[in-house]
Structures are given as structure tokens and as C-alpha cells.
Amino acid sequence: MSILTTILILLTAIIVIILIAAALLPDTYTIERETIINQPKQQVFNYIKILNNQQYFNKWVMADLQMRKTFTGTDGAVGFIYAWDSDNKQVGKGEQEIKAIADGEQVDSEVRFMKPFEGKLLASFITTATTPGQTRVRWIINGQRNFMMRVFHLLFNLRKTLGKDMVISMDNLKNLMERAN
């Protein structure tokens, strides 16, 4: 057997293994990160529920300071839509809509991606008082993925990559909120 034939067989085997592994991944995914912020719960919650504040802590929103933004409705209220459009392919185009608010407790929003790929996920921020002056913030994203997205998640270890970006964003939020003293 020639070296070229052996290489082709190995490449084919690797591709088949990747496709089988992707097929076995669930259609849904959840990524969660949390931090403790040394500020009262209501103060932290009031800041988080304003989607426009993400420009100061969310790594993904901060990736292109020149992106075009539009706002529809009242920020911090159910139905508010923050839309973005960027020439940066990593930022792309999409929108985020506040779907539910439990005052002082939780904000749920739906994020709809249009470019560079289509998709959507549910993002939730949950605040819990650990002491009167300290708040635990949990950020949870839940999404669905088709077969190609499962392959993409597997190849690029998106759970780890997205989780790392979420940690950076949570650290930014913590630093921002604690400096506000």
C-alpha cells in the first residue's frame, strides 16, 4: 500500500469518526457561567436588564465598536429589541429581544443570529443575593444545533470557547459594577 493510499484511508477514517461523534451529540446545548459581585442584588439586576449596558461588559458586543445598532421599544422591558449589523464577520448581524423579566431575579432574552450563520439561543441572567451587599450572577445560554452546527461545535470546541468568552464578560461586569462604588 502506498503512502498516499494510507494517508487517504486515515483522513477518511478521521472524517467518519468526526461525523459519527457529531451525530451522537445532542441537538441542544447549555453553557453556564457565574460570578459573585460585591453589590446589592437589585442594583446588579437593574444594570443587567438594560441590554444597551452590554456594550460595557459583553465581550461579543465589544468586539466591534463600529457596528451599526438599532433599538426598538423600551430598554429593560419585555419586547425591547437590540439589533446589530457589523462588517466584522465574527460579529455578523442579529438581534436580541427581551422575552421575560422577573423583577430583581431574572431576565430572559432570545438572541437571533442572521449572519454569518442563522440560529437562535435563549440567554438568561439570574441574580441571587448571597448577602445584602453581594450578588451571585448566573448567565445561562441554551441553544439548538443542527447536524452541521454539531460538527462545528465538536471541531472548534465551542463549549469551551463560548464559556471562556462568557467568563471574560462576567469578569468585565464584576469589575465594572464593583468600580461603581
Side-chain angles (χ1 to χ4, degrees):
M1 200 181 313
S2 74
I3 292 176
L4 182 59
T5 304
T6 303
I7 291 172
L8 287 174
I9 290 171
L10 285 173
L11 285 175
T12 302
I14 290 169
I15 291 170
V16 168
I17 290 169
I18 289 170
L19 294 175
I20 290 171
L24 296 174
L25 287 175
D27 292 343
T28 60
Y29 66 94
T30 299
I31 304 171
E32 179 177 340
R33 296 297 184 265
E34 69 176 50
T35 193
I36 301 291
I37 298 175
N38 294 313
Q39 291 289 348
K41 181 175 87 162
Q42 194 64 47
Q43 182 177 343
V44 173
F45 179 82
N46 288 343
Y47 189 82
I48 289 171
K49 77 176 184 177
I50 304 296
L51 292 185
N52 196 35
N53 285 339
Q54 290 186 28
Q55 69 182 318
Y56 304 113
F57 70 89
N58 187 313
K59 181 182 187 300
W60 301 315
V61 176
M62 297 166 68
D64 179 5
L65 300 178
Q66 305 305 314
M67 78 173 104
R68 295 164 299 283
K69 302 174 191 176
T70 58
F71 307 99
T72 306
T74 303
D75 200 351
V78 172
F80 175 76
I81 298 174
Y82 158 70
W84 71 90
D85 190 1
S86 172
D87 296 326
N88 180 332
K89 289 182 180 13
Q90 292 181 319
V91 177
K93 179 179 181 178
E95 61 186 20
Q96 182 174 4
E97 179 179 357
I98 297 176
K99 290 295 201 174
I101 297 176
D103 190 44
E105 306 293 328
Q106 183 168 332
V107 177
D108 296 328
S109 60
E110 182 177 82
V111 182
R112 297 180 286 266
F113 302 100
M114 296 160 199
K115 290 181 183 175
F117 59 87
E118 289 188 14
K120 68 180 174 180
L121 60 83
L122 178 66
S124 299
F125 280 103
I126 302 167
T127 55
T128 309
T130 56
T131 67
Q134 194 175 66
T135 306
R136 172 177 284 113
V137 178
R138 290 177 45 219
W139 185 10
I140 305 166
I141 60 173
N142 296 293
Q144 296 216 341
R145 51 191 174 188
N146 61 26
F147 180 74
M148 287 310 296
M149 285 305 291
R150 291 194 308 263
V151 170
F152 193 71
H153 274 234
L154 184 66
L155 288 175
F156 297 102
N157 197 359
L158 283 187
R159 178 174 300 282
K160 182 179 179 183
T161 303
L162 294 175
K164 187 192 300 186
D165 288 350
M166 290 170 74
V167 167
I168 290 168
S169 298
M170 294 293 268
D171 288 346
N172 290 342
L173 176 64
K174 176 182 175 63
N175 292 333
L176 182 70
M177 295 295 302
E178 290 181 357
R179 271 198 324 258
N181 274 341

